[in-house]
């Protein structure tokens, strides 16, 4: 016996969360509940505005169709579904089948988009490998270079991840690199997407010796994973990629090409973020995932994130919009 429910959520965000050109005031999405033989499992469907091609409404409608098929015991074609829907439904199905192991990797690379002094304090308190992530490309490229160089000098055993989100022209990327001393460049684990064009990012990596990672490029039509000089990693944001099976296939291809695969958030609620931490521990066990995004919310959903003090909204407070 199978049944399914769909709940809608709207969560208030911390002030000042900017996605590309838009302020994200509330995070909208869906919680799916699957029930089979007295077992219950959950998944989150949450297209990210400015990143996902589908809207929350479209994702909710498609989720209902696919959940109806699941209840009827029909075969599902998750490869044809919106990525956010495929990811949420495949997670819930994996939960039901106890395929997604419980243990999660909750070690976050602290994310800094403001004061680098804060980051030095957090890193000095961090056990084990010191990994941090800074958003660059928002202010002057020269300032970014000075900050990165300062951090690499202050904490020599640190592995720094940087994310430019394709903000730099090749010239600006060079201005950044100029301020990072050559002897510190290997402390940069990777710089995500320095330039608008992937070919410019690749040339930058090869000219400067600063490794890059693909994030946006992974979602470009025709993208293929291959070993290339200067490319260290690919960033996998499952809500933007698709089903668990599709994410795992990408991770396996990355590993076969000698690349690091980093599971990263698309600003899911604490419910989806916990599943991402478990996927990370399962499929990329020695890599710190990019999941330091709970701080962007004002509340948590259903399940809390370790050490997060924000209030938790229970399932009983959400509106159930559909069931079968
Ligand atoms: O990758 C991480 O460490 C955290 C997630 C993260 O940085 C992002 C998630 C979703 C959208 C973006 O604003 C942003 C990114 O720039 O990659
Ligand atoms: Mg990015």
């Amino acid at each position: 016996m199978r049944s399914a429910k769909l709940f809608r959520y709207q969560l208030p965000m911390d002030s000042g969360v900017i996605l590309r050109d838009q302020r994200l005031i509330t995070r909208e999405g869906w919680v799916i509940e699957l029930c089979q033989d007295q077992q219950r499992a959950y998944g989150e469907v949450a297209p990210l505005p400015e990143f996902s091609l589908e809207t929350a409404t479209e994702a909710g409608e498609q989720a209902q169709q696919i959940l109806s098929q699941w209840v009827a015991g029909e075969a599902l074609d998750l490869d044809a579904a919106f990525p956010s829907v495929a990811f949420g439904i495949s997670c819930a199905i994996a939960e039901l089948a106890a395929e997604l192991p419980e243990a999660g990797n909750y070690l976050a690379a602290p994310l800094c988009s403001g004061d680098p002094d804060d980051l030095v304090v957090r890193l000095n308190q961090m056990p084990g490998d010191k990994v941090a992530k800074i958003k660059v490309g928002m202010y002057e490229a020269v300032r970014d270079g000075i900050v990165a160089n300062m951090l690499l000098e202050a904490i020599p055993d640190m592995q720094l991840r940087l994310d430019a989100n394709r903000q730099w022209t090749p010239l600006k990327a060079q201005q950044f690199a100029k301020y990072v001393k050559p002897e510190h460049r290997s402390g940069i684990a990777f710089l995500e997407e320095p330039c608008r064009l992937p070919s410019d990012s690749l040339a930058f990596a090869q000219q400067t010796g600063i490794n890059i990672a693909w994030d946006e490029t992974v979602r470009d039509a025709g993208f293929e994973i291959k070993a290339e000089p200067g490319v260290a990693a690919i960033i996998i944001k499952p809500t933007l990629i698709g089903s668990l099976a599709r994410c795992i296939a990408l991770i396996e291809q990355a590993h076969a090409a000698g690349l690091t695969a980093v599971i990263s958030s698309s600003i899911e609620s604490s419910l989806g973020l916990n599943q991402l931490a478990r996927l990370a521990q399962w499929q990329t066990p020695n890599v710190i995932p990019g999941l330091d995004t709970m701080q962007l919310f004002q509340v948590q959903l259903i399940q809390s994130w370790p050490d997060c003090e924000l209030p938790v909204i229970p399932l009983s407070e959400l509106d159930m919009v559909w069931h079968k």
Side-chain angles (χ1 to χ4, degrees):
M1 273 296 290
R2 287 178 169 183
S3 61
K5 291 179 182 163
L6 191 67
F7 301 83
R8 179 161 185 241
Y9 75 71
Q10 284 181 303
L11 306 177
M13 302 303 285
D14 194 32
S15 60
V17 179
I18 311 275
L19 289 178
R20 296 205 174 133
D21 298 324
Q22 173 182 331
R23 186 175 290 268
L24 188 68
I25 295 164
T26 37
R27 186 75 174 97
E28 281 185 64
W30 311 92
V31 173
I32 57 185
E33 182 189 275
L34 303 182
C35 189
Q36 179 174 331
D37 308 331
Q38 318 301 327
Q39 301 271 79
R40 258 173 241 287
Y42 296 90
E44 175 172 349
V45 172
L48 185 63
E50 304 267 339
F51 288 80
S52 296
L53 302 179
E54 68 277 18
T55 64
T57 305
E58 289 165 341
E61 283 164 4
Q62 191 183 69
Q64 291 176 20
Q65 289 163 10
I66 297 178
L67 292 176
S68 298
Q69 294 169 335
W70 181 81
V71 170
E74 292 167 21
L76 307 183
D77 183 6
L78 293 180
D79 287 335
F82 294 129
S84 60
V85 175
F87 177 63
I89 292 182
S90 65
C91 267
I93 290 175
E95 290 271 21
L96 259 190
E99 265 167 27
L100 183 62
E102 288 294 331
N105 185 348
Y106 298 100
L107 284 175
L111 191 59
C112 166
S113 43
D115 184 355
D117 292 338
D118 278 355
L119 194 59
V120 174
V121 173
R122 277 180 82 182
L123 282 169
N124 281 326
Q125 294 163 347
M126 200 171 167
D129 291 348
K130 294 190 193 307
V131 180
K133 178 164 176 181
I134 320 182
K135 293 278 172 193
V136 293
M138 292 189 288
Y139 308 103
E140 283 303 304
V142 168
R143 177 189 184 272
D144 288 332
I146 292 170
V147 168
N149 193 65
M150 184 277 281
L151 283 169
L152 291 161
E153 216 151 58
I155 308 176
D157 56 343
M158 173 175 55
Q159 280 290 304
L160 193 58
R161 297 175 178 179
L162 302 166
D163 185 1
N165 286 320
R166 295 185 166 177
Q167 292 295 313
W168 288 329
T169 59
L171 179 66
K172 285 200 171 157
Q174 288 296 339
Q175 287 171 345
F176 161 83
K178 208 176 120 188
Y179 284 86
V180 182
K181 288 192 188 145
E183 66 267 30
H184 293 152
R185 291 182 187 175
S186 62
I188 299 179
F190 52 75
L191 162 57
E192 293 174 33
E193 305 266 352
C195 304
R196 194 172 62 78
L197 295 179
S199 54
D200 286 339
S201 292
L202 208 52
F204 166 87
Q206 290 163 6
Q207 285 155 10
T208 60
I210 295 174
N211 282 329
I212 59 164
W214 299 130
D215 176 3
E216 286 84 348
T217 300
V218 176
R219 274 121 43 202
D220 282 352
F223 172 73
E224 273 174 45
I225 293 180
K226 50 180 184 274
E228 281 171 298
V231 179
I234 65 163
I235 310 300
I236 297 181
K237 291 184 163 80
T239 286
L240 308 182
I241 295 286
S243 68
L244 270 181
R246 165 124 182 74
C247 294
I248 292 169
L250 264 182
I251 294 166
E252 286 171 354
Q253 286 168 32
H255 290 168
L259 301 179
T260 301
V262 183
I263 299 290
S264 166
S265 100
S266 310
I267 323 201
E268 293 83 358
S269 77
S270 54
L271 176 71
L273 207 61
N274 273 297
Q275 289 176 326
L276 290 171
R278 291 162 57 199
L279 172 62
Q281 178 62 28
W282 181 29
Q283 295 293 328
T284 60
N286 301 313
V287 178
I288 295 188
L291 303 178
D292 195 25
T293 49
M294 253 342 280
Q295 44 165 328
L296 305 179
F297 285 81
Q298 286 187 31
V299 293
Q300 312 192 65
L301 188 62
I302 303 170
Q303 203 186 2
S304 60
W305 178 254
D307 298 328
C308 179
E309 313 264 291
L310 293 170
V312 182
I313 297 186
L315 187 65
S316 58
E317 282 180 26
L318 299 187
D319 289 331
M320 188 178 73
V321 294
W322 177 91
H323 69 106
K324 199 151 200 170

